[in-house]
Amino acid sequence: MKKLLIWGTGNLAKRFMENGCQGEVIGFIETHKSKEIFMQRTVYSSHEIPKEYDYIIVANSYAFEIYSLCLELGIDLAKVVFLYGIKYRAGCMQQSVLEEILMEKNYTDYCMEFGLVNDSFFRKDMDAYEKKNKRPNFRIQKQYMWPIISDKYACAGTAGNYFWQDLWAARLIVNSGVKEHFDIGSRLDGFIAHLLAADIDVTMIDIREFPGKIEGLHTIVDDATGLCQIPDGSIGSMSALCSLEHFGLGRYGDPVDPEACFTCFENVQRKIKEGGRLYLSLPVGKERVEFNSHRVFYASTVLECFSGMRLKEFSCAADGKIERHVNIHKYDNDVHNGEYRYGMFHFVKG
């Protein structure tokens, strides 16, 4: 049985293990070691990799960096399988070896990543269909081929962090009984759709263009930092789900301004009237900016910034589930390791 090392300790590594492999997984590798044990196995740093192994499986989104590090460390690339993250194939590319050690599910993921449709199950399934099909109109024709190999082992859907935060906020807003709601930059095809389905009129502001007119949705294309379009004390129900952490970083074409999100925090409080409610979602954990993507906040920082409002609930979405009524300081030292935790704050003014 071949001895395997898995480079990665995040969701991709977990997926690899759940999919199954042919071999003995003798440990995991982290480029910068942060833990001793992962999935009941030893974790090694990139500079203490055991010498006795047959293959290293790179189940990590930072594959290009790991590729460069392998060259620097003199690791034999013929013994390294890169599952993701490199735009071209590298490392071990022997089909017989890949099929053997990756097994069906992981091998399908590999083929999908590198566009190897004919090396996957697709060709076998097509041959089987052609042998069994008796209907002339439904014979396979080259000009109508539409190969898809991504769905065979996919779940029926996803219930990740966005799912839970959207559901959390939508339920609270619908149950509050409001008929009009204001939003800043949340997900149109998730959260906003939930509200529209409940016959709640939504006014949404976003710096990006909207895809078109939607019944019940009123749109404002503008930078929401100053909220200058909204009178003070006029909003009874407002949300911003995973949007304000991006303000001022230039990612969406907005002006670079380190204070932009904090300025918006102040303005949001001014715009909400007494008794009005705010539903806010932001990445929480060890406080930092990950330029130019987003900021991560201490939950306590968010409370301080919204000192003019009363916190009714602080919950978190992470790892495909929701954790309700969390202690404000529980995740102050959490660095996430590639999986973000969204803090969900329900505030009331006054």
Side-chain angles (χ1 to χ4, degrees), residues 9-27:
T9 57
N11 285 339
L12 295 179
K14 290 179 183 177
R15 176 180 171 83
F16 177 85
M17 295 295 289
E18 290 168 358
N19 284 347
C21 61
Q22 183 65 42
E24 178 190 0
V25 177
I26 60 174

Side-chain angles (χ1 to χ4, degrees), residues 68-137:
S68 301
L69 187 55
C70 286
L71 293 177
E72 180 184 322
L73 297 174
I75 294 173
D76 183 1
L77 290 178
K79 299 173 69 174
V80 182
V81 177
F82 293 91
L83 294 180
Y84 308 98
I86 296 181
K87 298 302 180 184
Y88 52 87
R89 294 181 73 191
C92 176
M93 289 182 278
Q94 297 181 51
Q95 184 174 347
S96 59
V97 172
L98 295 171
E99 286 187 284
E100 177 190 350
I101 62 177
L102 298 183
M103 298 178 62
E104 176 82 358
K105 291 183 179 181
N106 283 315
Y107 182 65
T108 297
D109 282 351
Y110 179 88
C111 290
M112 182 174 63
E113 178 73 9
F114 296 105
L116 305 174
V117 173
N118 287 327
D119 289 348
S120 73
F121 64 87
F122 178 80
R123 177 62 62 178
K124 295 177 184 177
D125 285 2
M126 186 172 68
D127 291 342
Y129 181 93
E130 287 181 318
K131 289 177 182 178
K132 294 178 181 179
N133 179 52
K134 305 299 182 184
R135 297 177 182 268
N137 284 354

Side-chain angles (χ1 to χ4, degrees), residues 206-231:
D206 200 304
I207 198 168
R208 300 166 293 184
E209 293 289 335
F210 290 89
K213 291 186 177 180
I214 301 170
E215 185 179 354
L217 179 64
H218 314 284
T219 59
I220 301 171
V221 178
D222 201 359
D223 182 353
T225 303
L227 293 175
C228 55
Q229 311 88 344
I230 311 300

